[in-house]
Amino acid sequence: ALLLGVAFACNVGGMATPIASPQNAIAIQAVENITAGKVTVGFLPWMGAALPLCVVALLFCAFIVVLYTKPDDISEVPAIPIAREKFGRPHYIVIAVSVVTIMLWSTLKLTESTLGDLGSVALLPVMVFFGTGILRKEDFNSFQWHLIFLI
């Protein structure tokens, strides 16, 4: 039941933002092409329409999983050990870069002439994380690229 729930949640959650799934970017481009650029869908309007739908879909998926798998054989959920580490410079950099990237995606219509499209903005975290040493060459080489190609 847990694996089904995770799979459903990942699929449904992929609809929430334009950057969560390639299909979303394709849908946005199709809307702009069909309307000859008269209708554009930004980051926040997409989320405004998709997020409520995602919440309803997640609740429906949870209901279906519970209905069909009847997960009543679990007496307790095992505790997951949490490794606590001191919050340091790399953590602050990741948070700051993530917030800046999301803000740039959210205001893409204002910054597109300067920064380019979604892909250009997506390179910002890659450059910063590798440039500051948060990510290393080994991280890049161990990335499961075949999963990206499946998307």
Side-chain angles (χ1 to χ4, degrees):
L2 181 61
L3 289 177
L4 280 174
V6 170
F8 283 141
C10 289
N11 282 321
V12 171
M15 295 186 295
T17 66
I19 58 167
S21 179
Q23 298 91 316
N24 300 349
I26 293 169
I28 289 172
Q29 190 64 47
V31 167
E32 291 177 3
N33 289 345
I34 289 170
T35 63
K38 294 177 185 170
V39 176
T40 59
V41 182
F43 193 89
L44 292 177
W46 178 279
M47 282 190 67
L51 204 54
L53 177 66
C54 288
V55 170
V56 171
L58 279 174
L59 292 173
F60 178 74
C61 289
F63 172 75
I64 294 298
V65 168
V66 170
L67 180 71
Y68 283 101
T69 60
K70 297 179 182 32
D72 57 357
D73 61 344
I74 299 173
S75 60
E76 68 179 82
V77 177
I80 299 173
I82 299 173
R84 301 270 184 206
E85 73 177 79
K86 188 174 179 184
F87 212 77
R89 181 177 171 265
H91 299 102
Y92 290 112
I93 291 173
V94 169
I95 290 172
V97 169
S98 299
V99 167
V100 168
T101 303
I102 291 169
M103 286 174 33
L104 289 173
W105 277 327
S106 299
T107 59
L108 191 62
K109 295 300 174 195
L110 302 173
T111 60
E112 193 170 23
S113 61
T114 307
L115 299 175
D117 60 4
L118 286 171
S120 301
V121 174
L123 287 176
L124 172 70
V126 174
M127 292 186 303
V128 172
F129 296 156
F130 280 104
T132 58
I134 292 173
L135 292 176
R136 303 176 318 272
K137 183 173 85 169
E138 293 80 21
D139 297 319
F140 183 81
N141 291 336
S142 67
F143 191 73
Q144 297 179 0
W145 292 103
H146 61 282
L147 295 177
I148 297 298
F149 293 129
L150 286 175
I151 295 173

